[in-house]
């Protein structure tokens, strides 16, 4: 199985990605329209290898880099899927939070352009939080997390 492959993981790949302790290590995938240099691929691979394993049947987001552009913030994060089937997103509310759980920024993102995130995989993506999305005076360079906002029904 290619580490940078574009195909979906099949059921035969499940045993390769499941650990003895019922955790899942996802395969790194890139969106078909992302152009990455070999150096960028190595950086993403490094960050991907440092991610904690997931439990089966989870959807997760893990931030890896914060970049400031004037008053805006770009967050690079892995969208992670430990289901044995591909997932698609629609409109998703994302939060930036500090180490104490205080909301720093909030924005709705249309992730339909992502397409499918293959089974048992992680895909890097960039999220732009603009000045109007900020809920705090400042966003720290360290100690932040990106998270899905789960709405109670």
């Amino acid at each position: 199985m290619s580490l940078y492959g574009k195909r979906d993981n099949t059921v035969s790949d499940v045993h390769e990605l499941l650990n003895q302790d019922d955790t899942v290590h996802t395969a790194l995938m890139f969106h078909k329209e992302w152009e990455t240099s070999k150096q960028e691929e190595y950086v993403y691979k490094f960050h991907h290898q440092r991610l904690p394993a997931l439990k089966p049947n989870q959807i997760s987001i893990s931030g890896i880099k914060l970049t400031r552009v004037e008053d805006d913030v770009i967050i690079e994060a892995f969208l992670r899927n430990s289901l044995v089937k591909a997932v698609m997103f629609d409109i998703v509310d994302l939060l930036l939070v500090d180490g104490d759980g205080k909301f720093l920024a909030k924005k709705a993102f249309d992730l339909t352009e992502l397409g499918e995130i293959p089974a048992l995989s992680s895909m890097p993506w960039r999220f732009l939080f603009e000045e109007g999305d900020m809920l705090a005076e400042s966003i720290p360079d360290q100690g932040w997390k990106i998270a899905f906002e789960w709405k109670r029904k």
Side-chain angles (χ1 to χ4, degrees):
M1 178 170 69
S2 169
L3 185 59
Y4 301 109
K6 302 288 190 242
R7 69 177 177 84
D8 286 354
N9 294 316
T10 62
V11 176
S12 63
D13 297 329
V14 172
H15 299 294
E16 187 177 319
L17 295 169
L18 286 175
N19 291 334
Q20 296 287 348
D21 60 353
D22 290 329
T23 60
V24 177
H25 286 279
T26 54
L28 178 61
M29 303 287 192
F30 292 96
H31 189 271
K32 63 184 178 229
E33 295 180 15
W34 263 41
E35 294 181 19
T36 55
S37 67
K38 284 291 182 198
Q39 182 178 357
E40 288 173 314
E41 286 182 11
Y42 288 126
V43 170
Y44 283 116
K45 181 179 178 183
F46 171 78
H47 286 294
H48 181 258
Q49 289 174 340
R50 297 182 68 203
L51 293 172
L54 295 174
K55 295 288 184 189
N57 302 314
Q58 286 185 305
I59 302 295
S60 175
I61 187 167
S62 299
I64 57 171
K65 183 179 177 184
L66 178 147
T67 304
R68 296 179 190 283
V69 180
E70 297 179 14
D71 293 328
D72 303 335
V73 173
I74 298 170
I75 300 293
E76 288 186 40
F78 286 108
L79 289 162
R80 305 175 69 201
N81 175 15
S82 70
L83 282 76
V84 294
K85 64 180 184 175
V87 295
M88 291 186 69
F89 292 100
D90 198 14
I91 306 293
V92 176
D93 290 327
L94 295 178
L95 298 166
L96 283 182
V97 296
D98 68 10
D100 296 325
K102 178 183 170 195
F103 294 173
L104 302 172
K106 176 182 173 180
K107 184 173 181 178
F109 292 90
D110 182 355
L111 297 182
T112 54
E113 69 182 276
L114 253 175
E116 286 189 345
I117 298 180
L120 307 171
S121 69
S122 294
M123 185 180 294
W125 201 251
R126 292 181 187 100
F127 301 94
L128 172 65
F129 288 88
E130 298 170 290
E131 183 180 13
D133 304 320
M134 304 303 170
L135 303 173
E137 289 294 317
S138 64
I139 308 292
D141 290 330
Q142 303 291 322
W144 56 268
K145 290 184 181 181
I146 189 167
F148 293 109
E149 180 182 37
W150 299 109
K151 297 179 181 171
R152 295 182 185 199
K153 293 184 179 184

